Amino acid sequence: MMKRLFWGLIPMALSGCLGWINQEVEIDLPEHKSKIVLNALLKDGDTQVKLGIHRSHGMMDEGSIKDGLPDANVQMRVNGELLERFSFFGGEDPYTAPYRIHIGDSIDVEIDAPGYASVSSSTVVPAPTELISARFGSVDRGLGSVPQREVFFRVSPPVEGKSYYVLKFAQQREGQPMRTAIQLTSNLPFITPMYPFNVGFESTPTQGTEAEIVVLVSELFYSGTQEDLESYLILETVSKEYYDYVTTFYYHYNNQSPDIFGGEPTPMPSNIVNGYGIFGAASSHMVRIE
């Protein structure tokens, strides 16, 4: 399929002068075969299963990728038992069904819709890893005028085997909502940046009760007076598939700066058979930072 792209108003410096050119480029794009996209993160304690079900879009396709896929048929089994019918209200709303998610739940899902190949996936809700303690360290100005604070924390050994974590920082003042959109960074090689604002890491032999790990927090919210301000560290234990997805998405997002031609494309992992997206699970533990 031949598509014509129009590139206009491209600044170029020619012979020391700023000139403008318009150029038409014809490229041969393969026909896009739309597939079902499933995105969901099921968390221990949630009282609803929420599934974002959409369709993939080609470069020239019309419509919004945020719109849900109508007429999808969802078959989900939790520990082998079929969950009741899912509801969908249209637009960007997810498909939902009432169910309280528990640690250890084994969840399988199959989705089909008219005109699309059926997709499937599975996940298991992991047991949480305990945060033993967390404390603040020193403060410096960081980049520009934004202060950065050290946060030291200890974690218990994984329950069994290897575990995967997403670490979040939150602050709350009485009568105001808890805020987690605060930048976390680290210079430790096993701490991986994530978009937006969080970091992740895998369990290693050094991350036991005697190991203390440090990250840096850029206080973008509540950065004035510390009076009546409580700070928390949240450790989410996540499925490996979800961990691989969110850590890769950081590089995918950065490679699009300042636009889609800013860097090399980053292949995104997916555990959706015959489709795209990610189907993951998580449990969490939170402690107040002293």
Side-chain angles (χ1 to χ4, degrees):
M1 178 176 64
M2 189 70 70
K3 296 290 185 179
R4 175 170 293 178
L5 301 181
F6 180 74
W7 296 43
L9 300 181
I10 303 176
M12 297 188 68
L14 298 175
S15 302
C17 300
L18 181 64
W20 296 85
I21 67 169
N22 294 327
Q23 182 178 1
E24 290 187 1
V25 179
E26 289 188 350
I27 59 176
D28 192 12
L29 295 177
E31 191 74 36
H32 173 72
K33 178 64 175 177
S34 187
K35 294 185 177 183
I36 294 176
V37 180
L38 167 62
N39 285 303
L41 179 64
L42 311 182
K43 296 185 177 182
D44 168 47
D46 285 353
T47 56
Q48 273 193 331
V49 173
K50 297 182 179 181
L51 306 178
I53 302 175
H54 313 270
R55 71 175 182 90
S56 64
H57 281 62
M59 189 172 182
M60 295 302 191
D61 288 353
E62 297 181 354
S64 172
I65 60 175
K66 295 182 180 180
D67 290 338
L69 183 64
D71 302 323
N73 176 43
V74 181
Q75 298 287 318
M76 177 176 284
R77 284 178 167 77
V78 182
N79 304 321
E81 295 188 9
L82 186 65
L83 216 58
E84 65 180 85
R85 185 176 180 85
F86 278 76
S87 300
F88 174 63
F89 298 99
E92 299 180 23
D93 291 333
Y95 282 76
T96 61
Y99 174 78
R100 185 175 183 85
I101 300 169
H102 301 88
I103 295 169
D105 279 345
S106 178
I107 305 171
D108 301 281
V109 62
E110 294 183 8
I111 302 169
D112 59 75
Y116 298 89
S118 62
V119 302
S120 62
S121 190
S122 61
T123 191
V124 176
V125 183
T129 297
E130 181 184 1
L131 274 170
I132 298 175
S133 63
R135 63 179 177 85
F136 281 119
S138 62
V139 180
D140 62 44
R141 298 311 299 175
L143 298 175
S145 60
V146 178
Q148 290 185 320
R149 300 191 69 179
E150 293 177 326
V151 176
F152 295 86
F153 64 98
R154 293 178 182 270
V155 295
S156 295
V159 176
E160 61 178 25
K162 197 167 194 177
S163 296
Y164 303 86
Y165 307 111
V166 175
L167 188 68
K168 300 179 179 181
F169 178 87
Q171 289 183 311
Q172 186 173 35
R173 186 169 275 137
E174 185 176 354
Q176 300 185 27
M178 180 175 287
R179 299 186 177 186
T180 58
I182 299 173
Q183 185 72 48
L184 279 173
T185 58
S186 177
N187 59 2
L188 297 175
F190 60 84
I191 299 289
T192 303
M194 294 180 175
Y195 176 85
F197 308 119
N198 306 315
V199 294
F201 60 96
E202 304 176 23
S203 60
T204 72
T206 62
Q207 292 166 8
T209 56
E210 300 303 319
E212 193 165 51
I213 308 169
V214 61
V215 293
L216 299 175
V217 176
S218 298
E219 298 179 283
L220 304 182
F221 294 117
Y222 299 137
S223 57
T225 175
Q226 300 297 301
E227 184 179 353
D228 299 326
L229 179 64
E230 295 182 347
S231 298
Y232 297 89
L233 209 58
I234 303 168
L235 184 66
E236 289 187 346
T237 306
V238 300
S239 57
K240 182 182 186 303
E241 295 81 8
Y242 181 77
Y243 177 85
D244 291 340
Y245 183 87
V246 292
T247 51
T248 305
F249 184 76
Y250 171 82
Y251 299 103
H252 166 75
Y253 180 83
N254 281 354
N255 279 347
Q256 297 184 70
S257 300
D259 52 47
I260 61 172
F261 303 106
E264 293 294 323
T266 304
M268 293 296 298
S270 174
N271 65 337
I272 311 301
V273 179
N274 290 331
Y276 302 114
I278 192 68
F279 185 56
S283 58
S284 65
H285 188 246
M286 180 174 70
V287 296
R288 182 177 175 180
I289 303 175
E290 303 297 334

